[in-house]
Amino acid sequence: MKKISLLLFLMSTMFTFSQSEFQVEVDLGYAFQTDMMLNNENLEPANAFGIRLGVNYLKTLNEKLYLETGLYGKYNRANREIETLEFTSNSLKIQLPLYLGYKIDDTWRLNVGASIENNKDFDEIDFKREDNLRYDLLTKLIYVYNQKLQFSFYTNWMLNSTPDVYTVSSPRNGMYLGVIYKLGKVTKTKKD
């Protein structure tokens, strides 16, 4: 009985792995927010240039649905002017997304999900405070160009309220265009 259980476990592991794929994704875009308060003063809208780079793992659930997760570095750079002070801000965050994906057809896919990312630099995180993390609603529309290459339109929308001192360099919302490259071998389908 133990041998049969071990065999079934190994077979299910191979089946699970065969129904998954890994991808590399890079996105370039624009992060923004309209209202901003800092030291009880209204500031002009915050805008930043953004880059996301990461690795995705996709797990097929059925013919149409799949789960996607990954690990990303998210960089924002912005030039800001507050009264007489002019400065450039740089922000590098780690993002962990989780999506539910839907295959509309052979060409289009739609992902909806959420992510967690750090609000503060890792050496400044204080676990007694609630503003360490940021939570975003994510959407991603994917155009499948071929079996290895896809293009995406990605958006993020901050869900939790966090002090604007953290959004000066990493604004609340973003829109990005991206390229996704599938890792591994391409499986060829037989033609009738």
Side-chain angles (χ1 to χ4, degrees):
M1 191 66 167
K2 288 182 183 180
K3 289 181 181 180
I4 293 172
S5 297
L6 180 62
L7 183 61
L8 289 173
F9 175 76
L10 290 174
M11 286 175 59
S12 69
T13 305
M14 288 188 308
F15 176 74
T16 301
F17 187 72
S18 69
Q19 295 297 315
S20 62
E21 65 183 65
F22 292 92
Q23 303 171 333
V24 174
E25 182 174 351
V26 62
D27 304 303
L28 300 174
Y30 180 71
F32 60 93
Q33 87 183 56
T34 54
D35 298 324
M36 190 169 206
M37 289 285 292
L38 196 61
N39 293 333
N40 295 324
E41 270 189 56
N42 283 322
L43 302 179
E44 291 182 21
N47 305 311
F49 169 73
I51 299 175
R52 291 175 70 242
L53 175 64
V55 178
N56 298 327
Y57 170 75
L58 279 74
K59 170 70 177 132
T60 301
L61 300 176
N62 62 33
E63 193 175 300
K64 291 284 190 181
L65 296 175
Y66 60 93
L67 290 176
E68 179 181 329
T69 188
L71 179 64
Y72 283 83
K74 184 177 168 187
Y75 173 77
N76 286 321
R77 180 180 176 89
N79 294 318
R80 299 281 299 147
E81 189 175 322
I82 301 175
E83 294 181 359
T84 59
L85 179 64
E86 192 173 320
F87 63 95
T88 299
S89 64
N90 295 294
S91 168
L92 181 60
K93 307 294 184 193
I94 300 296
Q95 183 186 51
L96 299 168
L98 178 63
Y99 298 97
L100 177 63
Y102 178 73
K103 295 178 185 177
I104 299 168
D105 56 27
D106 290 339
T107 306
W108 295 98
R109 297 177 181 184
L110 179 64
N111 292 2
V112 177
S115 71
I116 298 173
E117 72 181 63
N118 57 307
N119 252 346
K120 300 179 178 180
D121 292 336
F122 290 106
D123 59 343
E124 296 176 0
I125 289 179
D126 179 2
F127 290 103
K128 295 176 186 171
R129 298 187 52 140
E130 294 182 9
D131 57 1
N132 293 314
L133 300 175
R134 165 186 173 146
Y135 305 96
D136 285 353
L137 170 68
L138 308 177
T139 64
K140 188 161 54 169
L141 181 64
I142 300 166
Y143 172 75
V144 179
Y145 181 72
N146 61 35
Q147 289 188 2
K148 289 292 253 183
L149 194 61
Q150 303 170 7
F151 298 101
S152 67
F153 175 64
Y154 161 89
T155 66
N156 69 279
W157 309 94
M158 184 184 264
L159 293 172
N160 60 320
S161 61
T162 189
D164 282 334
V165 68
Y166 301 115
T167 62
V168 167
S169 59
S170 185
R172 295 178 178 273
N173 310 310
M175 294 183 178
Y176 298 78
L177 294 175
V179 176
I180 302 168
Y181 182 78
K182 180 180 175 182
L183 300 173
K185 295 180 181 179
V186 173
T187 54
K188 295 183 180 179
T189 56
K190 293 181 181 178
K191 293 183 179 178
D192 293 349

